[in-house]
Amino acid sequence: MPHPSLFHVLLVERRWDQWSVFCLQFERAARHLARELSRPKLASVTVSRKSFHRWAKGDWYGRPWPDTALILEHLFNAPAAQLFSPAPERAAEGTSASEGRASRTSVLVADQWPTSRFFIGPGEAIGSWELAGRQALDGTTAAVAFRTVAAGAGSVARFDAEDPVALDEFLRPARRGFLLGMDDRDSPRLFVVDAATARRARATSSGEAASALPRAQLLDDLTYGLLWSLVQLDDGLLADDSALEQEQKLLNTYLDLPRSAPSRRTVPDLTKAGAQWLGSTYCARHILRRLDGLTGSPAFWTREQTGEQAASWLWLRHKGDYLKALAARYPDATPLSRAFCIPEAVVRQSGMYERVLLLLSIALMELHGVRVDVLPKPEYSQVDGFALVPGQRAVVANWARTDGAIWAVDTVTSRPSLREYSEALGEARALSVMPGPDPEARLRAVAGYMDIDWAWLVKRSREMSAYGTASLVRPRSRHLTTESLDEVFAFLASFGPDR
C-alpha cells in the first residue's frame, strides 16, 4: 500500500486537518500571495469542503486547478505535484511547531468571537490580530505572538521559557501587541497578555523568559470584550489626537447655543472613536451647564443599547469625571436615575462579550449612586438621550446613534414635551427588567435578562480586581483610563455569587 500523500502528512503534522483550520490558513496564504504577485483575484480563490476532504484522505494523486495549486505551493512550500504524490518517509521534518500552535489558537479564537481574525504568513512567528468593529467602532489590528503555556508554580499557568531572543524582539517595538497562548492540558484555555505588560515584567525580572499567568489573563468573554473595545478606542483616539486638540477649541462656541447638531462631514477625517469622544465630551459639558440654576435633581435617559456603544462609559476618562460631578452636585437628593431602552432582539443579536460590556457600564452607574432601569419595549428605542428636571427643563443630549451628527443637543421647556419625557421615564421604572431594592438585586436581574451567569461574573470580577485591568490591557491615549473598570470590578467583587 503506498504512503499517504504529502498533503495529508503536512495537514496532520501542522494540525490543519479540520476544515475550518485549513480554510483559515488557505485564505491567509491566498491574500498574501495576491499582494506579493499583484494578482488581486488570487485573494478570492477558495477550496470547497468536498475537495478538501477528498485531498485530506491521502489517496488522491491529481492536480488542483492552477490558481489553487499556486496557493497550495505557497502555503506548504512544496510543488503541487509533490503534495499530491506519496510522501517520503521523513518528508515533513522541520515543520514549525509554532505554526501548528498558532493555527490551533487562531481557530479557537475565531470560532468563539466572529469579530476576531488572525493573519499569519507561512513560516512567520508573528502575526496580526484583526479586531473588527460593528457599528460604533472602526476596527483595528494588533501584532500577536503565540507562546506555549505550561503548568505554573503559584499561578494558574506560565508561558514557557522558550526562545527569549525572539520574545524580546517581539516586545521591543512600540506597536500595540499581545502574547497569546493555549493551555490544552485539559480543555483548551487561552491566556492573553498585553505586550506592554510583558515588556515591563521582562524589564523587572531576573531575565527569565517565562511569565506567570493569573486567572485575570484568561481570554474569555469578559477579557475579550475589554481588549476588543479598548484597542479600537485607543487606536482611534491616538490617530485623532492632533485633530481633537484643534476641535476642542470650538466646543465653547457651541456651548453658548441652546441647540446644535454639527454634521460628521465637518470633521470627515475623525475616526468613529474620535467622533464618540468629541460628541460625548460636548454632551457632558452641555448637560452640566444647562442644569445650572435648576432646583430639582434630574433623571436621565440614555441611548446606548449595545456593549460597543456603552464601552465608552468604561474607558473614556471624562465619563467617570462626569458621573462623579453629578454625584457631587446632588449629594442629598433622592438617588439619581438613568433609563436604558434595550429590547430583547438587540440582546439576542449581541455576542456575550458585548452583553458583558453593557452590564459593566450599568454597574458603573449603580456604583456612582445612579439607579438604573432597563426598558425592553422597542418602541422607545428612538427616544432622545436627556436629563429631565420635571416641570422645569429637559436637556437633550445625543451622541450615540445620531444619524450622521457628531452630537445633537437641545433645551426643551414646553410642557407637552416635558410630559412625554416624564412618561417615558415612568414606563421604564414600571416595566424595568431590573427591579430590586439595592444595586446587587438590580444587577442580578439584568444579568439574567442578558443571559449572563452571575456567579461567573462575580468570580471573574474578583480575579480582575486582584490584579487590575491594566494587567490585561493598557490604554495609551491620554483620554482613556482603567480607573473606572477597576472600581467596577471591586464593586461587583463585593457581591455574593449565589443567592
Side-chain angles (χ1 to χ4, degrees):
M1 180 178 178
H3 291 296
S5 67
L6 178 59
F7 179 83
H8 169 85
V9 171
L10 294 177
L11 277 184
V12 172
E13 289 203 352
R14 299 186 183 195
R15 300 191 184 184
W16 295 354
D17 49 342
Q18 294 183 15
W19 162 248
S20 58
V21 178
F22 170 78
C23 281
L24 189 65
Q25 298 300 328
F26 184 88
E27 290 171 6
R28 288 172 181 160
R31 287 190 291 269
H32 185 269
L33 194 60
R35 291 192 298 268
E36 187 175 286
L37 300 181
S38 298
R39 291 177 56 185
K41 288 186 178 180
L42 286 176
S44 63
V45 175
T46 59
V47 174
S48 71
R49 184 187 294 267
K50 182 177 179 180
S51 294
F52 170 76
H53 286 305
R54 183 169 67 248
W55 301 345
K57 287 174 64 179
D59 58 1
W60 187 81
Y61 306 126
R63 173 77 177 181
W65 292 103
D67 285 349
T68 304
L70 188 64
I71 296 167
L72 290 172
E73 290 175 346
H74 181 70
L75 178 60
F76 290 103
N77 195 29
Q82 290 183 17
L83 288 173
F84 297 102
S85 298
E89 288 286 348
R90 302 179 66 83
E93 278 192 4
T95 298
S96 169
S98 65
E99 287 186 84
R101 180 170 64 241
S103 174
R104 297 194 305 277
T105 305
S106 64
V107 169
L108 187 61
V109 171
D111 284 348
Q112 188 160 354
W113 298 291
T115 50
S116 180
R117 297 178 69 182
F118 292 103
F119 299 93
I120 308 165
E124 295 180 5
I126 298 174
S128 297
W129 191 353
E130 181 183 278
L131 300 167
R134 297 183 67 211
Q135 292 86 33
L137 295 169
D138 290 307
T140 191
T141 301
V144 64
F146 299 89
R147 307 286 290 179
T148 302
V149 172
S155 61
V156 178
R158 294 175 70 83
F159 281 134
D160 267 354
E162 57 178 306
D163 202 348
V165 174
L167 176 60
D168 287 336
E169 288 179 354
F170 174 75
L171 296 178
R172 187 174 299 115
R175 69 193 169 196
R176 168 75 71 178
F178 292 95
L179 297 175
L180 196 59
M182 179 190 292
D183 176 8
D184 54 8
R185 287 171 292 170
D186 297 311
S187 58
R189 295 186 303 174
L190 296 173
F191 289 86
V192 63
V193 178
D194 193 315
T197 300
R199 187 161 49 243
R200 178 175 297 184
R202 288 282 285 156
T204 57
S205 71
S206 58
E208 295 181 0
S211 58
L213 296 168
R215 291 188 182 277
Q217 290 171 333
L218 278 168
L219 186 61
D220 59 6
D221 285 309
L222 171 66
T223 49
Y224 177 77
L226 295 180
L227 69 86
W228 174 78
S229 57
L230 182 277
V231 174
Q232 292 186 79
L233 285 168
D234 201 35
D235 285 0
L237 289 172
L238 286 173
D240 291 343
D241 191 69
S242 179
L244 290 175
E245 184 70 19
Q246 296 298 316
E247 293 299 331
Q248 282 190 80
K249 299 173 182 177
L250 300 177
L251 295 186
N252 288 335
T253 301
Y254 281 107
L255 282 171
D256 292 331
L257 303 175
R259 64 184 62 84
S260 60
S263 170
R264 275 295 306 272
R265 295 193 186 96
T266 61
V267 282
D269 55 330
L270 284 186
T271 65
K272 289 180 180 178
Q276 278 191 49
W277 182 89
L278 194 63
S280 176
T281 298
Y282 179 79
C283 286
R285 293 176 63 182
H286 173 80
I287 289 171
L288 290 172
R289 185 168 186 174
R290 297 291 166 179
L291 289 177
D292 281 344
L294 300 184
T295 54
S297 59
F300 297 84
W301 185 285
T302 193
R303 286 172 61 83
E304 294 91 322
Q305 293 186 326
T306 67
E308 184 182 28
Q309 296 162 2
S312 60
W313 285 99
L314 301 171
W315 295 115
L316 294 184
R317 187 180 298 275
H318 75 266
K319 298 295 261 185
D321 295 340
Y322 169 67
L323 289 173
K324 291 173 183 176
L326 287 172
R329 181 176 288 197
Y330 305 101
D332 302 320
T334 301
L336 297 175
S337 66
R338 184 176 292 269
F340 288 74
C341 175
I342 308 174
E344 289 184 34
V346 176
V347 174
R348 289 195 302 269
Q349 292 165 9
S350 298
M352 178 60 71
Y353 65 97
E354 273 205 87
R355 283 177 264 155
V356 171
L357 288 172
L358 187 54
L359 192 147
L360 293 176
S361 303
I362 292 172
L364 176 66
M365 295 170 188
E366 289 276 354
L367 164 66
H368 285 286
V370 179
R371 177 188 172 120
V372 178
D373 294 306
V374 171
L375 179 63
K377 297 179 70 172
E379 54 265 38
Y380 285 83
S381 292
Q382 299 307 316
V383 171
D384 292 320
F386 62 81
L388 173 70
V389 179
Q392 298 181 57
R393 181 181 300 169
V395 183
V396 176
N398 300 314
W399 61 269
R401 300 188 291 120
T402 52
D403 296 327
I406 304 172
W407 67 73
V409 301
D410 199 356
T411 306
V412 177
T413 56
S414 71
R415 291 190 177 277
S417 296
L418 295 182
R419 191 179 305 114
E420 288 180 7
Y421 290 137
S422 183
E423 289 173 354
L425 289 169
E427 191 87 343
R429 175 59 56 86
L431 301 177
S432 177
V433 300
M434 50 183 300
D438 54 59
E440 181 176 359
R442 291 193 289 273
L443 291 170
R444 281 179 182 269
V446 77
Y449 177 67
M450 296 182 185
D451 197 24
I452 296 172
D453 185 322
W454 176 257
W456 167 82
L457 180 65
V458 171
K459 176 175 177 289
R460 292 295 280 131
S461 294
R462 290 174 179 174
E463 293 163 355
M464 292 298 299
S465 183
Y467 286 91
T469 307
S471 69
L472 174 79
V473 62
R474 294 174 179 271
R476 296 176 297 169
S477 169
R478 59 199 167 106
H479 299 305
L480 300 173
T481 180
T482 61
E483 291 177 5
S484 291
L485 271 162
D486 288 339
E487 292 172 354
V488 169
F489 287 132
F491 182 55
L492 292 173
S494 69
F495 297 143
D498 302 310
R499 289 192 181 277

